């Protein structure tokens, strides 16, 4: 008998196949990692090396923080970073509260208006509101040039509501009934029973909202006219895409500025780092949360 356990109908791949898979995986990793390393290296490389390399450096000869000093010296990037952090934190909190309460209400059988509301949520996945109607609604509510215009229109996402509703429906009904027998109301059941059992899906949905708020720039481009209220992503887009200055008070002598590519990459690194710092704390919940509802026993 062979010492290898072979699954019925399957044969182990040959060495050539495994080597080919390894090469493909390494190539895909390089496609992701090399540009990111180039962004960080270009932001830290000295002026002379960036100019000689044509604006893209894979490994800096020495570390220079001139690009970071330049983008933070005028206060534009610092203010935009604070704005983005505030919008992300407040927006994620509002969105999670709205999504959790709506999903829980839709998951309870016999809830008033649950069926029509569920149809509305599903319809939002198929039909968008449109750019002009959205702008007119925000304008009619007096939210133009307000940070709430970046939060309230996207506070509830239909896909996230469906994901959380599916998870809530799979919770043991006996557990909820026992809480009701003990005199707990629906809000107490949600806060003390349902949410402690829903950490994985809550972390995943919260990460979706967090990344969405952090990376959003189009809403700010539409609704925020005051440049002092611009989030970091809009500042990044304005500088990189439109190639315009970050602020007239930044540095008066243009020759003192680091190369344009270094400043662009430095802003890009600043916009990426916060998400990279948060993701490891939520990563352990990610796989479990994404598989929620995929398998039923």
């Amino acid at each position: 008998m062979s010492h290898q356990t072979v699954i019925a109908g399957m044969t182990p791949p040959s060495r050539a196949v495994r080597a080919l898979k390894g090469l493909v995986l390494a190539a895909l990793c390089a496609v992701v990692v090399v540009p990111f390393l180039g962004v960080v290296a270009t932001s830290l490389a000295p002026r002379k090396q960036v100019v000689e390399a044509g604006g893209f450096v894979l490994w800096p000869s020495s570390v220079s923080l001139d690009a970071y000093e330049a983008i933070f010296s005028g206060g534009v990037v610092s203010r935009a970073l604070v704005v983005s952090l505030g919008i992300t934190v407040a927006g994620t909190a509002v969105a999670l509260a709205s999504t959790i309460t709506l999903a829980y209400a839709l998951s309870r059988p016999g809830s008033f208006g649950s069926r029509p509301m569920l149809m509305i949520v599903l319809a939002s996945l198929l039909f968008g509101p449109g750019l002009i109607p959205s702008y007119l609604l925000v304008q009619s509510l007096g939210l133009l040039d307000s940070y709430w215009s970046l939060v309230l229109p996207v506070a509830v996402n239909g896909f996230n509501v469906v994901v959380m509703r599916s998870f809530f429906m799979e919770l043991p009904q006996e557990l909820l009934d026992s809480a009701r027998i003990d005199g707990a109301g629906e809000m107490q059941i949600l806060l003390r029973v349902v949410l402690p059992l829903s950490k994985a899906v809550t972390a995943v949905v919260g990460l979706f909202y967090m990344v969405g708020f952090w990376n959003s720039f189009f809403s700010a481009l539409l609704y925020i006219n005051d440049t002092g209220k611009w989030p970091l992503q809009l500042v990044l887009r304005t500088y990189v895409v439109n190639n315009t200055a970050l602020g007239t008070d930044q540095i008066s002598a243009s020759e003192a500025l680091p190369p344009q590519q270094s400043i662009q990459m430095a802003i890009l690194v600043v916009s990426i780092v916060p998400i990279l710092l948060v993701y490891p704390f939520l990563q352990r919940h990610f796989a479990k949360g994404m598989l929620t509802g995929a398998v039923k026993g």
Side-chain angles (χ1 to χ4, degrees), residues 24-280:
V24 172
L25 181 60
L28 293 176
C29 291
V31 169
V32 176
V33 174
V34 170
F36 179 75
L37 293 179
V39 168
V40 177
T42 304
S43 69
L44 296 174
R47 173 195 295 271
K48 182 179 179 181
Q49 186 181 10
V50 174
V51 174
E52 292 177 351
F56 189 79
V57 177
L58 281 179
W59 191 263
S61 58
S62 61
V63 176
S64 173
L65 300 178
D66 292 343
Y68 293 93
E69 293 177 359
I71 64 175
F72 285 112
S73 61
V76 177
V77 174
S78 302
R79 182 170 58 246
L81 180 60
V82 173
V83 169
S84 290
L85 288 174
I87 292 173
T88 301
V89 172
T92 302
V94 172
L96 273 179
S98 304
T99 301
I100 290 173
T101 52
L102 178 58
Y104 179 73
L106 295 179
S107 68
R108 297 304 91 198
S111 298
F112 176 77
S114 60
R115 183 61 61 179
M117 183 60 66
L118 179 60
M119 293 297 103
I120 293 175
V121 171
L122 295 177
S124 68
L125 300 176
L126 302 176
F127 307 101
L131 183 60
I132 295 178
S134 298
Y135 182 86
L136 293 177
L137 177 60
V138 171
Q139 184 182 44
S140 64
L141 295 175
L143 297 179
L144 292 181
D145 261 343
S146 170
Y147 293 131
W148 287 113
S149 64
L150 310 180
V151 174
L152 296 181
V154 290
V156 177
N157 180 276
F159 174 78
N160 293 334
V161 172
V162 172
V163 170
M164 298 207 76
R165 174 181 177 271
S166 300
F167 182 88
F168 292 158
M169 293 182 67
E170 292 181 0
L171 294 177
Q173 186 63 37
E174 295 80 5
L175 186 63
L176 305 183
D177 291 339
S178 63
R180 292 190 182 93
I181 293 175
D182 292 337
E186 292 298 332
M187 185 58 65
Q188 291 177 315
I189 294 175
L190 174 61
L191 296 178
R192 298 182 180 181
V193 179
V194 175
L195 287 184
L197 298 175
S198 309
K199 293 180 180 179
V201 68
T202 302
V204 172
V205 171
L207 182 63
F208 287 162
Y209 279 124
M210 187 183 306
V211 173
F213 282 115
W214 180 260
N215 290 331
S216 177
F217 72 91
F218 190 66
S219 296
L221 185 64
L222 288 177
Y223 306 135
I224 306 297
N225 298 320
D226 185 358
T227 57
K229 296 182 178 180
W230 279 3
L232 182 62
Q233 301 299 336
L234 186 53
V235 171
L236 172 64
R237 176 191 178 276
T238 302
Y239 191 80
V240 175
V241 177
N242 298 342
N243 195 22
T244 57
L246 294 175
T248 56
D249 61 337
Q250 184 178 344
I251 293 181
S252 57
S254 60
E255 61 271 15
L257 284 171
Q260 174 188 347
Q261 294 86 351
S262 296
I263 295 179
Q264 292 175 346
M265 298 307 174
I267 302 176
L268 187 57
V269 170
V270 172
S271 68
I272 294 175
V273 166
I275 293 297
L276 293 181
L277 294 178
V278 172
Y279 181 78

Side-chain angles (χ1 to χ4, degrees), residues 4-27:
Q4 295 181 346
T5 302
V6 180
I7 300 177
M10 297 181 62
T11 57
S14 63
R15 292 184 177 180
V17 174
R18 292 198 299 268
L20 180 60
K21 291 181 179 179
L23 290 175
V24 172
L25 181 60

